[in-house]
Amino acid sequence: MNDNRAVTQEALDRILPGVSRPARYTGAEWNSVKKDWHAAEVRLALVYPDLYEVGMSNLGLAILYELLNARPYVLAERAFTPWPDMQAALTSARIPLYSLESRRPLSQFDILGFSLGYELTYTNVLKTLELAGVPVLASERTETAPLVIAGGTCVVNPEPMADFFDLFVIGEGEEVTLELIDVYRSWKAEGVRRKADFLKQAASVPGIYVPSLYKVSYLADGTIEAITPAVPEAPVKVTRRWVKKLPPPPVRPIVPFIEIIHDRAAIEVQRGCSRGCRFCQAGVIYRPPRERSLEEILQSADEILCNTGHGDLSIISLSSSDYSAIAPLVEALADQHRTDRLAISLPSMRMDSFSIGLAEALQKGKRSGLTFAPEAGSQRLRDSINKIASEDDLVQAAETAFSRGWRGLKLYFMIGLPGETDNDIQGICRLARRVLEVGRRCTGHQVGLRLGVASLIPKPHTPFQWAPQADHEAIESKVRTLQQGLRRTGVHLSWHDPNTSLLEGVLSRGDRRTGKAIMRAWELGCGFDAWSEHFRFDLWQQALAECGLDPGFYTHRQRSMDEVLPWSHIDPGVTQAFLKREWLRSEKGQTTADCRLNTCMACGYQALPEGCEVATKGQASSGR
Amino acid sequence: MISPDHRKPVEAGRRPRLSSDPPAVQRLRITFSRGDAAKYCSHLDLMRLWERAIRRAALPVAYSEGFTPHPRIALAAPLPVGVTSTAELMEVYLRKRVTPRFFLEHITPQLPDGLSIARVEEAAIGLPSLQSALRQAEYRVEVECSLSQGGIESRIDALLRQEHIPIERPRPGRNKSLDLRTLLDKLWVEQVKAGTCTLGMVLRTDSQGSGRPEEAVAALGLGQPLRMERIRLVLETS
């Protein structure tokens, strides 16, 4: 096959009948954008290293797709990691991985922009590059190969993937991606194209991290000595980008042919969360909290629904019940869409802000799937992780739900938290029993209760970034305690595979050396690690061992506060002083109040020249 | 950690059909085609696609009763994945009358590549359902084949002379045994040229079962079809 041309329908017709869900690989969905290939100056493929159904559920992808294609000189298309059956079919038919819109091989694009939202997709990145015929190592890619870049939540610690990417976009992509494209466009127009020149220019754009322009040195104990820029263009610290005001939400999202994970319209009502839970990475790296106005949300939701024909709308936020006008919003949406039967869902709610008003606004017909996350089984431990919600809040939320028709509830907990004792685990069982009791009292029946238990994976740029992750044996013993404590209660308990959590821990807090193990795991055949049917822990263990890496070094070790962390050259906007303060307060069991409701917690954003809306408002009100 | 994205959403749910909602007052029959761009979606995918296109067009579709009301849309027969068609039939029930022309003009701009409507006509509201009136489907199938027209025809004759043609249909779990002969009403050669041959066939398609064109091709001892297209659905006209 001639690599320069698009993959033909005939070629696809030979392989697609033999693969599962072939409509994943055809494109041409409603609202997909097909631009003139030759007229575009910069051609970019947005690549999500997971299955179509997962990637198409990602709001970030929808935002960038619409934003980039709105520029007349940019062409943005999509690609996803094919499922193993399609990987085999492409390989045996010698068809390179192609984009869904123009069906051109990915190798023909100027830029391949990967979205890294979950560490367990890392091997898929390599597989995807391999299927595209692009060398996986940045150092082995020639001048004619596409520029391979990444953004997304994982890149706040870019080091484990540093060998594979030419550059990383740190933070919110709306502004910086366009700035980067403009630098690329003028570099490309110059004619003399040396990638090294471009990378130096890119490194001076705030928020862009070019790993090849930095040197990492190590100490004898294996920890990092220093991470230093090798050229003047590379800043000592790369600051996370964020947008001062949320730009208008995408209103023409693609409507897939097939059912995807989140098969509904979505509107982001706010970004960031001011609660300050100490385990939560999103709560740090999406600061400061920014809301959209009620009018903008209603107007955009209307447009999205008209443009997609969706009958379901999801209100997206890290904590949707914290949106200041949540009940009026849900009510207004329900009223506006009475005749077309809109179903509204809130994927994340706080039990202390789930009000009767909200329950009543939501309560229109079918009631299902209400989820709260107490996270820990005792007040002491909840205080220590700064999940400021009391047992009474949970009981109240359960009462509100059960007395308004809900018949089941799901609760999320974390185990393996710093300072956790057996008593805290027993506390989870006690809470569960109490909720069952409330249910029985309110409904007269046994209610359904599901407990989802995840082990804490300490994440970079959180107050727990220095904390040890609980090991396999500890997690298993805690799960056994839960199983015993919940016997004959009818509670459905599910927990995360400890091996998966361990790997996620290694990849989350890994350093540049971790990349070797990722590459080796991919060579050994690892891929779709987030999918239990494909997860091969034995191969990962082999890969880590062959690369001389001890998983415990990255996960179970208590890190010193003076240690140079692998992500210390990435500035998340919150200060190290704040994270340290929060870690020390956690050890003492002290809480830090939500800055939207109380005083500013001085996380660092209040001191930035761009300012923090919440801090400014707080000052104004305290001044009165 | 479970990221917020992976947490199951709380659903407020669609409200149940209220007694105040108007019942269906009109039934429209739509003949449409499915091209390459839309041939790999499943039957359920297609139902969702029509549902959303009708919502985008703001056409007054009627809803089913019950706690999870669905728009009242019915397709005559599922089209096998990978098969194109020029003769699909669908019926839509509306809660407010519109002219077939109005329906056509509003829905057409809302259709993705690969779907186009040939005809919209009124159907009597009391007629039996499309599914129950369907009897046969006609296909045109192109296969790679080095035989002469006579060679293929003699295979067809031999096949149609058999009283039973036992075949296995792969299914998740256990395969299903069928007699292809009872599903194969007509089979003929349309055209033979340069290594390919186009077959025509009429397969039984009703509540008892439906034939699949690739099964007839396999029974002739020919290879994987290159193209399959449904060109006619035969309804019982009482």
Side-chain angles (χ1 to χ4, degrees), chain A residues 13 30 257 259 262-263 308-309 312 338 340-341 344-346 362 364 366 369 373, chain B residues 2 5 7 9-15 21 39-40 45 48 52 55-56 63 109:
Chain A
D13 283 344
W30 185 251
F257 282 118
E259 192 175 356
H262 299 303
D263 202 23
T308 60
D312 302 70
R338 277 195 89 71
D340 51 14
R341 294 156 195 276
I344 301 161
S345 59
L346 275 76
L362 277 171
K364 310 252 173 184
K366 199 178 91 184
Chain B
I2 307 167
D5 275 359
R7 298 197 167 177
V10 178
E11 271 191 31
R14 293 185 179 84
R15 70 184 171 91
D21 285 354
K39 72 180 175 186
Y40 287 112
D45 295 336
R48 257 198 313 270
R52 288 168 181 168
R55 271 177 172 273
R56 290 195 291 268
Y63 284 85

mmCIF file of all heavy atoms in Angstrom, chain A residues 13 30 257 259 262-263 308-309 312 338 340-341 344-346 362 364 366 369 373, chain B residues 2 5 7 9-15 21 39-40 45 48 52 55-56 63 109:
data_model
loop_
_atom_site.group_PDB
_atom_site.id
_atom_site.type_symbol
_atom_site.label_atom_id
_atom_site.label_comp_id
_atom_site.label_asym_id
_atom_site.label_seq_id
_atom_site.Cartn_x
_atom_site.Cartn_y
_atom_site.Cartn_z
ATOM 1 N N ASP A 13 -13.054 -2.960 3.945
ATOM 2 C CA ASP A 13 -14.102 -3.963 3.805
ATOM 3 C C ASP A 13 -13.551 -5.387 3.889
ATOM 4 O O ASP A 13 -14.280 -6.326 4.180
ATOM 5 C CB ASP A 13 -14.843 -3.786 2.465
ATOM 6 C CG ASP A 13 -15.815 -2.612 2.520
ATOM 7 O OD1 ASP A 13 -16.121 -2.162 3.644
ATOM 8 O OD2 ASP A 13 -16.239 -2.137 1.448
ATOM 9 N N TRP A 30 -21.945 11.734 13.053
ATOM 10 C CA TRP A 30 -22.592 13.045 13.043
ATOM 11 C C TRP A 30 -21.705 14.044 13.782
ATOM 12 O O TRP A 30 -21.205 13.718 14.874
ATOM 13 C CB TRP A 30 -23.965 12.936 13.714
ATOM 14 C CG TRP A 30 -24.755 14.206 13.633
ATOM 15 C CD1 TRP A 30 -25.040 15.042 14.651
ATOM 16 C CD2 TRP A 30 -25.348 14.762 12.454
ATOM 17 N NE1 TRP A 30 -25.775 16.113 14.190
ATOM 18 C CE2 TRP A 30 -25.979 15.964 12.849
ATOM 19 C CE3 TRP A 30 -25.399 14.384 11.104
ATOM 20 C CZ2 TRP A 30 -26.663 16.775 11.945
ATOM 21 C CZ3 TRP A 30 -26.076 15.198 10.215
ATOM 22 C CH2 TRP A 30 -26.701 16.369 10.628
ATOM 23 N N PHE A 257 -21.710 6.433 16.262
ATOM 24 C CA PHE A 257 -22.669 5.435 15.773
ATOM 25 C C PHE A 257 -22.949 4.406 16.859
ATOM 26 O O PHE A 257 -24.053 3.917 16.990
ATOM 27 C CB PHE A 257 -22.097 4.692 14.556
ATOM 28 C CG PHE A 257 -22.167 5.469 13.269
ATOM 29 C CD1 PHE A 257 -21.016 5.812 12.584
ATOM 30 C CD2 PHE A 257 -23.393 5.838 12.740
ATOM 31 C CE1 PHE A 257 -21.077 6.517 11.393
ATOM 32 C CE2 PHE A 257 -23.472 6.546 11.545
ATOM 33 C CZ PHE A 257 -22.310 6.890 10.869
ATOM 34 N N GLU A 259 -22.618 2.698 20.883
ATOM 35 C CA GLU A 259 -22.807 3.140 22.250
ATOM 36 C C GLU A 259 -21.440 3.258 22.929
ATOM 37 O O GLU A 259 -20.670 2.311 22.942
ATOM 38 C CB GLU A 259 -23.675 2.125 22.989
ATOM 39 C CG GLU A 259 -24.144 2.649 24.309
ATOM 40 C CD GLU A 259 -25.114 1.702 24.995
ATOM 41 O OE1 GLU A 259 -25.480 0.667 24.408
ATOM 42 O OE2 GLU A 259 -25.483 2.011 26.142
ATOM 43 N N HIS A 262 -19.762 6.957 28.121
ATOM 44 C CA HIS A 262 -20.676 8.024 28.545
ATOM 45 C C HIS A 262 -21.463 8.448 27.319
ATOM 46 O O HIS A 262 -21.080 9.371 26.611
ATOM 47 C CB HIS A 262 -19.904 9.203 29.131
ATOM 48 C CG HIS A 262 -19.104 8.843 30.344
ATOM 49 N ND1 HIS A 262 -19.678 8.280 31.456
ATOM 50 C CD2 HIS A 262 -17.792 8.937 30.618
ATOM 51 C CE1 HIS A 262 -18.738 8.047 32.363
ATOM 52 N NE2 HIS A 262 -17.578 8.427 31.873
ATOM 53 N N ASP A 263 -22.559 7.755 27.066
ATOM 54 C CA ASP A 263 -23.300 7.943 25.827
ATOM 55 C C ASP A 263 -24.352 9.021 26.010
ATOM 56 O O ASP A 263 -25.547 8.743 25.980
ATOM 57 C CB ASP A 263 -23.954 6.608 25.436
ATOM 58 C CG ASP A 263 -24.276 6.563 23.957
ATOM 59 O OD1 ASP A 263 -23.649 7.308 23.191
ATOM 60 O OD2 ASP A 263 -25.168 5.790 23.562
ATOM 61 N N THR A 308 -27.001 17.537 18.846
ATOM 62 C CA THR A 308 -26.684 16.108 18.947
ATOM 63 C C THR A 308 -27.913 15.226 18.908
ATOM 64 O O THR A 308 -27.840 14.085 18.477
ATOM 65 C CB THR A 308 -25.965 15.794 20.274
ATOM 66 O OG1 THR A 308 -26.808 16.165 21.360
ATOM 67 C CG2 THR A 308 -24.642 16.515 20.373
ATOM 68 N N GLY A 309 -29.033 15.724 19.438
ATOM 69 C CA GLY A 309 -30.217 14.883 19.548
ATOM 70 C C GLY A 309 -30.156 13.954 20.743
ATOM 71 O O GLY A 309 -30.966 13.033 20.861
ATOM 72 N N ASP A 312 -30.092 12.493 26.951
ATOM 73 C CA ASP A 312 -29.519 12.451 28.288
ATOM 74 C C ASP A 312 -28.473 13.542 28.384
ATOM 75 O O ASP A 312 -27.696 13.731 27.454
ATOM 76 C CB ASP A 312 -28.805 11.118 28.549
ATOM 77 C CG ASP A 312 -29.721 9.946 28.394
ATOM 78 O OD1 ASP A 312 -30.112 9.662 27.238
ATOM 79 O OD2 ASP A 312 -30.053 9.305 29.397
ATOM 80 N N ARG A 338 -39.302 19.540 29.124
ATOM 81 C CA ARG A 338 -40.388 18.654 29.554
ATOM 82 C C ARG A 338 -40.898 17.775 28.422
ATOM 83 O O ARG A 338 -41.105 16.587 28.590
ATOM 84 C CB ARG A 338 -41.555 19.472 30.112
ATOM 85 C CG ARG A 338 -41.370 19.869 31.550
ATOM 86 C CD ARG A 338 -42.672 20.334 32.170
ATOM 87 N NE ARG A 338 -43.419 19.218 32.756
ATOM 88 C CZ ARG A 338 -43.054 18.584 33.864
ATOM 89 N NH1 ARG A 338 -41.955 18.916 34.484
ATOM 90 N NH2 ARG A 338 -43.787 17.603 34.344
ATOM 91 N N ASP A 340 -39.428 16.918 25.537
ATOM 92 C CA ASP A 340 -38.528 15.975 24.869
ATOM 93 C C ASP A 340 -37.859 15.022 25.855
ATOM 94 O O ASP A 340 -36.917 14.322 25.515
ATOM 95 C CB ASP A 340 -37.501 16.705 23.981
ATOM 96 C CG ASP A 340 -36.777 17.805 24.733
ATOM 97 O OD1 ASP A 340 -36.878 17.810 25.970
ATOM 98 O OD2 ASP A 340 -36.126 18.632 24.103
ATOM 99 N N ARG A 341 -38.372 14.968 27.067
ATOM 100 C CA ARG A 341 -38.012 13.908 28.011
ATOM 101 C C ARG A 341 -36.518 13.793 28.257
ATOM 102 O O ARG A 341 -35.915 12.732 28.123
ATOM 103 C CB ARG A 341 -38.529 12.563 27.486
ATOM 104 C CG ARG A 341 -40.018 12.509 27.466
ATOM 105 C CD ARG A 341 -40.515 11.515 26.460
ATOM 106 N NE ARG A 341 -41.928 11.737 26.211
ATOM 107 C CZ ARG A 341 -42.874 11.247 26.960
ATOM 108 N NH1 ARG A 341 -42.590 10.508 27.981
ATOM 109 N NH2 ARG A 341 -44.134 11.485 26.680
ATOM 110 N N ILE A 344 -31.435 13.828 33.237
ATOM 111 C CA ILE A 344 -30.287 14.597 33.725
ATOM 112 C C ILE A 344 -29.498 13.746 34.712
ATOM 113 O O ILE A 344 -30.082 13.107 35.580
ATOM 114 C CB ILE A 344 -30.765 15.882 34.425
ATOM 115 C CG1 ILE A 344 -31.583 16.731 33.453
ATOM 116 C CG2 ILE A 344 -29.586 16.686 34.970
ATOM 117 C CD1 ILE A 344 -32.461 17.737 34.128
ATOM 118 N N SER A 345 -28.189 13.723 34.561
ATOM 119 C CA SER A 345 -27.401 12.947 35.516
ATOM 120 C C SER A 345 -26.258 13.781 36.077
ATOM 121 O O SER A 345 -25.714 14.661 35.410
ATOM 122 C CB SER A 345 -26.873 11.675 34.852
ATOM 123 O OG SER A 345 -26.068 11.986 33.748
ATOM 124 N N LEU A 346 -25.941 13.511 37.323
ATOM 125 C CA LEU A 346 -24.840 14.182 38.025
ATOM 126 C C LEU A 346 -23.826 13.124 38.424
ATOM 127 O O LEU A 346 -24.043 12.387 39.368
ATOM 128 C CB LEU A 346 -25.351 14.873 39.297
ATOM 129 C CG LEU A 346 -25.928 16.272 39.160
ATOM 130 C CD1 LEU A 346 -27.301 16.215 38.558
ATOM 131 C CD2 LEU A 346 -25.973 16.941 40.509
ATOM 132 N N LEU A 362 -34.047 16.419 40.929
ATOM 133 C CA LEU A 362 -33.595 15.240 40.176
ATOM 134 C C LEU A 362 -34.683 14.180 40.058
ATOM 135 O O LEU A 362 -34.665 13.354 39.161
ATOM 136 C CB LEU A 362 -32.404 14.591 40.893
ATOM 137 C CG LEU A 362 -31.027 15.161 40.643
ATOM 138 C CD1 LEU A 362 -30.041 14.543 41.603
ATOM 139 C CD2 LEU A 362 -30.590 14.909 39.203
ATOM 140 N N LYS A 364 -37.430 12.815 38.963
ATOM 141 C CA LYS A 364 -38.495 12.878 37.952
ATOM 142 C C LYS A 364 -38.575 11.486 37.347
ATOM 143 O O LYS A 364 -37.862 11.163 36.427
ATOM 144 C CB LYS A 364 -38.156 13.886 36.854
ATOM 145 C CG LYS A 364 -37.733 15.254 37.366
ATOM 146 C CD LYS A 364 -38.793 16.278 37.112
ATOM 147 C CE LYS A 364 -38.420 17.586 37.797
ATOM 148 N NZ LYS A 364 -39.422 18.616 37.685
ATOM 149 N N LYS A 366 -37.800 7.757 36.962
ATOM 150 C CA LYS A 366 -36.876 6.695 37.323
ATOM 151 C C LYS A 366 -35.786 7.185 38.279
ATOM 152 O O LYS A 366 -35.164 8.196 38.055
ATOM 153 C CB LYS A 366 -36.209 6.165 36.049
ATOM 154 C CG LYS A 366 -35.600 4.805 36.203
ATOM 155 C CD LYS A 366 -35.020 4.343 34.889
ATOM 156 C CE LYS A 366 -33.564 4.752 34.759
ATOM 157 N NZ LYS A 366 -32.977 4.426 33.474
ATOM 158 N N GLY A 369 -29.043 4.650 40.906
ATOM 159 C CA GLY A 369 -27.627 4.977 40.979
ATOM 160 C C GLY A 369 -27.269 6.289 41.627
ATOM 161 O O GLY A 369 -26.832 7.223 40.961
ATOM 162 N N ALA A 373 -19.283 9.499 48.343
ATOM 163 C CA ALA A 373 -17.951 9.004 48.664
ATOM 164 C C ALA A 373 -17.506 9.488 50.038
ATOM 165 O O ALA A 373 -16.849 10.523 50.146
ATOM 166 C CB ALA A 373 -16.962 9.454 47.592
ATOM 167 N N ILE B 2 -10.203 6.048 42.198
ATOM 168 C CA ILE B 2 -11.175 6.039 41.121
ATOM 169 C C ILE B 2 -11.367 7.489 40.718
ATOM 170 O O ILE B 2 -11.652 8.323 41.565
ATOM 171 C CB ILE B 2 -12.512 5.471 41.606
ATOM 172 C CG1 ILE B 2 -12.299 4.115 42.247
ATOM 173 C CG2 ILE B 2 -13.486 5.378 40.449
ATOM 174 C CD1 ILE B 2 -13.499 3.642 43.005
ATOM 175 N N ASP B 5 -14.507 10.549 36.708
ATOM 176 C CA ASP B 5 -15.072 10.103 35.427
ATOM 177 C C ASP B 5 -15.637 8.710 35.476
ATOM 178 O O ASP B 5 -16.551 8.370 34.752
ATOM 179 C CB ASP B 5 -13.967 10.113 34.356
ATOM 180 C CG ASP B 5 -13.831 11.491 33.756
ATOM 181 O OD1 ASP B 5 -14.593 12.387 34.153
ATOM 182 O OD2 ASP B 5 -12.988 11.644 32.909
ATOM 183 N N ARG B 7 -16.911 7.184 37.982
ATOM 184 C CA ARG B 7 -18.003 6.939 38.921
ATOM 185 C C ARG B 7 -19.328 6.936 38.169
ATOM 186 O O ARG B 7 -19.553 7.716 37.279
ATOM 187 C CB ARG B 7 -17.987 8.014 40.000
ATOM 188 C CG ARG B 7 -16.677 7.919 40.759
ATOM 189 C CD ARG B 7 -16.705 8.630 42.044
ATOM 190 N NE ARG B 7 -15.528 8.192 42.798
ATOM 191 C CZ ARG B 7 -15.183 8.667 43.980
ATOM 192 N NH1 ARG B 7 -15.927 9.552 44.557
ATOM 193 N NH2 ARG B 7 -14.123 8.222 44.584
ATOM 194 N N PRO B 9 -22.878 7.612 37.059
ATOM 195 C CA PRO B 9 -23.691 8.805 37.214
ATOM 196 C C PRO B 9 -25.013 8.531 37.941
ATOM 197 O O PRO B 9 -25.530 7.429 37.905
ATOM 198 C CB PRO B 9 -23.954 9.234 35.786
ATOM 199 C CG PRO B 9 -23.838 8.002 34.990
ATOM 200 C CD PRO B 9 -22.813 7.145 35.680
ATOM 201 N N VAL B 10 -25.505 9.539 38.544
ATOM 202 C CA VAL B 10 -26.819 9.478 39.156
ATOM 203 C C VAL B 10 -27.807 9.820 38.062
ATOM 204 O O VAL B 10 -27.658 10.828 37.389
ATOM 205 C CB VAL B 10 -26.926 10.567 40.234
ATOM 206 C CG1 VAL B 10 -28.288 10.544 40.850
ATOM 207 C CG2 VAL B 10 -25.839 10.392 41.241
ATOM 208 N N GLU B 11 -28.794 9.025 37.907
ATOM 209 C CA GLU B 11 -29.742 9.322 36.848
ATOM 210 C C GLU B 11 -31.051 9.814 37.412
ATOM 211 O O GLU B 11 -31.633 9.204 38.290
ATOM 212 C CB GLU B 11 -29.995 8.078 36.007
ATOM 213 C CG GLU B 11 -28.998 7.981 34.866
ATOM 214 C CD GLU B 11 -29.382 6.918 33.883
ATOM 215 O OE1 GLU B 11 -30.588 6.682 33.723
ATOM 216 O OE2 GLU B 11 -28.478 6.330 33.294
ATOM 217 N N ALA B 12 -31.456 10.937 36.888
ATOM 218 C CA ALA B 12 -32.758 11.418 37.307
ATOM 219 C C ALA B 12 -33.827 10.630 36.571
ATOM 220 O O ALA B 12 -34.944 10.480 37.033
ATOM 221 C CB ALA B 12 -32.898 12.887 36.987
ATOM 222 N N GLY B 13 -33.471 10.097 35.402
ATOM 223 C CA GLY B 13 -34.408 9.263 34.671
ATOM 224 C C GLY B 13 -35.387 10.070 33.849
ATOM 225 O O GLY B 13 -35.674 11.228 34.137
ATOM 226 N N ARG B 14 -35.837 9.444 32.784
ATOM 227 C CA ARG B 14 -36.881 10.105 32.014
ATOM 228 C C ARG B 14 -38.175 9.994 32.795
ATOM 229 O O ARG B 14 -38.402 9.016 33.481
ATOM 230 C CB ARG B 14 -37.050 9.391 30.674
ATOM 231 C CG ARG B 14 -35.849 9.535 29.788
ATOM 232 C CD ARG B 14 -36.149 8.909 28.459
ATOM 233 N NE ARG B 14 -35.011 9.067 27.570
ATOM 234 C CZ ARG B 14 -33.971 8.264 27.563
ATOM 235 N NH1 ARG B 14 -33.912 7.251 28.390
ATOM 236 N NH2 ARG B 14 -32.992 8.466 26.711
ATOM 237 N N ARG B 15 -38.981 11.014 32.650
ATOM 238 C CA ARG B 15 -40.236 10.898 33.375
ATOM 239 C C ARG B 15 -41.122 9.895 32.658
ATOM 240 O O ARG B 15 -41.004 9.681 31.461
ATOM 241 C CB ARG B 15 -40.901 12.271 33.478
ATOM 242 C CG ARG B 15 -41.442 12.789 32.164
ATOM 243 C CD ARG B 15 -41.997 14.189 32.368
ATOM 244 N NE ARG B 15 -42.336 14.794 31.106
ATOM 245 C CZ ARG B 15 -43.539 14.689 30.554
ATOM 246 N NH1 ARG B 15 -44.488 13.968 31.129
ATOM 247 N NH2 ARG B 15 -43.788 15.292 29.401
ATOM 248 N N ASP B 21 -50.060 13.072 27.900
ATOM 249 C CA ASP B 21 -49.332 13.040 26.634
ATOM 250 C C ASP B 21 -50.245 12.543 25.518
ATOM 251 O O ASP B 21 -50.951 11.555 25.688
ATOM 252 C CB ASP B 21 -48.128 12.088 26.735
ATOM 253 C CG ASP B 21 -47.004 12.708 27.539
ATOM 254 O OD1 ASP B 21 -47.129 13.890 27.894
ATOM 255 O OD2 ASP B 21 -46.033 11.997 27.829
ATOM 256 N N LYS B 39 -22.661 1.311 7.127
ATOM 257 C CA LYS B 39 -23.001 -0.113 7.042
ATOM 258 C C LYS B 39 -22.449 -0.949 8.193
ATOM 259 O O LYS B 39 -22.844 -2.087 8.360
ATOM 260 C CB LYS B 39 -22.538 -0.703 5.712
ATOM 261 C CG LYS B 39 -21.048 -0.881 5.565
ATOM 262 C CD LYS B 39 -20.738 -1.466 4.190
ATOM 263 C CE LYS B 39 -19.241 -1.529 3.976
ATOM 264 N NZ LYS B 39 -18.887 -1.953 2.619
ATOM 265 N N TYR B 40 -21.553 -0.395 8.980
ATOM 266 C CA TYR B 40 -20.978 -1.196 10.062
ATOM 267 C C TYR B 40 -21.668 -0.962 11.407
ATOM 268 O O TYR B 40 -21.210 -1.431 12.428
ATOM 269 C CB TYR B 40 -19.472 -0.958 10.176
ATOM 270 C CG TYR B 40 -18.714 -1.615 9.044
ATOM 271 C CD1 TYR B 40 -18.074 -0.862 8.066
ATOM 272 C CD2 TYR B 40 -18.680 -3.007 8.939
ATOM 273 C CE1 TYR B 40 -17.392 -1.474 7.016
ATOM 274 C CE2 TYR B 40 -18.002 -3.621 7.889
ATOM 275 C CZ TYR B 40 -17.365 -2.852 6.933
ATOM 276 O OH TYR B 40 -16.700 -3.475 5.913
ATOM 277 N N ASP B 45 -27.594 0.321 17.137
ATOM 278 C CA ASP B 45 -26.938 1.590 16.813
ATOM 279 C C ASP B 45 -27.831 2.413 15.892
ATOM 280 O O ASP B 45 -27.975 3.619 16.056
ATOM 281 C CB ASP B 45 -25.610 1.355 16.072
ATOM 282 C CG ASP B 45 -24.574 0.640 16.925
ATOM 283 O OD1 ASP B 45 -24.677 0.726 18.155
ATOM 284 O OD2 ASP B 45 -23.685 -0.014 16.344
ATOM 285 N N ARG B 48 -30.779 4.004 17.629
ATOM 286 C CA ARG B 48 -30.347 5.190 18.376
ATOM 287 C C ARG B 48 -30.091 6.361 17.436
ATOM 288 O O ARG B 48 -30.423 7.500 17.722
ATOM 289 C CB ARG B 48 -29.057 4.878 19.147
ATOM 290 C CG ARG B 48 -29.239 4.638 20.624
ATOM 291 C CD ARG B 48 -27.916 4.781 21.353
ATOM 292 N NE ARG B 48 -26.868 4.056 20.673
ATOM 293 C CZ ARG B 48 -26.560 2.795 20.928
ATOM 294 N NH1 ARG B 48 -27.198 2.141 21.864
ATOM 295 N NH2 ARG B 48 -25.609 2.198 20.260
ATOM 296 N N ARG B 52 -31.990 9.971 17.536
ATOM 297 C CA ARG B 52 -31.301 11.253 17.700
ATOM 298 C C ARG B 52 -31.551 12.178 16.511
ATOM 299 O O ARG B 52 -31.688 13.387 16.690
ATOM 300 C CB ARG B 52 -29.808 11.017 17.901
ATOM 301 C CG ARG B 52 -29.549 10.442 19.271
ATOM 302 C CD ARG B 52 -28.158 9.915 19.433
ATOM 303 N NE ARG B 52 -27.994 9.363 20.773
ATOM 304 C CZ ARG B 52 -26.973 8.630 21.151
ATOM 305 N NH1 ARG B 52 -25.994 8.364 20.307
ATOM 306 N NH2 ARG B 52 -26.903 8.165 22.376
ATOM 307 N N ARG B 55 -34.890 13.698 17.026
ATOM 308 C CA ARG B 55 -34.823 14.737 18.063
ATOM 309 C C ARG B 55 -34.207 16.012 17.510
ATOM 310 O O ARG B 55 -34.664 17.110 17.791
ATOM 311 C CB ARG B 55 -33.939 14.266 19.217
ATOM 312 C CG ARG B 55 -34.661 13.514 20.290
ATOM 313 C CD ARG B 55 -33.645 13.053 21.327
ATOM 314 N NE ARG B 55 -34.293 12.484 22.476
ATOM 315 C CZ ARG B 55 -34.714 13.192 23.527
ATOM 316 N NH1 ARG B 55 -34.535 14.484 23.579
ATOM 317 N NH2 ARG B 55 -35.313 12.600 24.527
ATOM 318 N N ARG B 56 -33.106 15.864 16.738
ATOM 319 C CA ARG B 56 -32.462 17.048 16.163
ATOM 320 C C ARG B 56 -33.415 17.790 15.243
ATOM 321 O O ARG B 56 -33.417 19.007 15.176
ATOM 322 C CB ARG B 56 -31.212 16.646 15.371
ATOM 323 C CG ARG B 56 -30.062 16.146 16.209
ATOM 324 C CD ARG B 56 -28.768 16.120 15.411
ATOM 325 N NE ARG B 56 -28.720 15.132 14.356
ATOM 326 C CZ ARG B 56 -28.251 13.894 14.483
ATOM 327 N NH1 ARG B 56 -27.798 13.480 15.657
ATOM 328 N NH2 ARG B 56 -28.228 13.060 13.465
ATOM 329 N N TYR B 63 -44.193 8.731 22.007
ATOM 330 C CA TYR B 63 -43.394 7.892 22.898
ATOM 331 C C TYR B 63 -44.197 6.695 23.368
ATOM 332 O O TYR B 63 -45.423 6.755 23.483
ATOM 333 C CB TYR B 63 -42.922 8.703 24.110
ATOM 334 C CG TYR B 63 -41.782 9.628 23.774
ATOM 335 C CD1 TYR B 63 -42.028 10.898 23.233
ATOM 336 C CD2 TYR B 63 -40.460 9.243 23.965
ATOM 337 C CE1 TYR B 63 -40.982 11.744 22.911
ATOM 338 C CE2 TYR B 63 -39.412 10.083 23.647
ATOM 339 C CZ TYR B 63 -39.677 11.334 23.121
ATOM 340 O OH TYR B 63 -38.634 12.171 22.796
ATOM 341 N N PRO B 109 -31.708 17.018 6.474
ATOM 342 C CA PRO B 109 -30.464 17.701 6.885
ATOM 343 C C PRO B 109 -29.855 17.135 8.163
ATOM 344 O O PRO B 109 -28.731 17.485 8.516
ATOM 345 C CB PRO B 109 -30.908 19.155 7.124
ATOM 346 C CG PRO B 109 -32.329 19.247 6.765
ATOM 347 C CD PRO B 109 -32.875 17.902 6.544
#
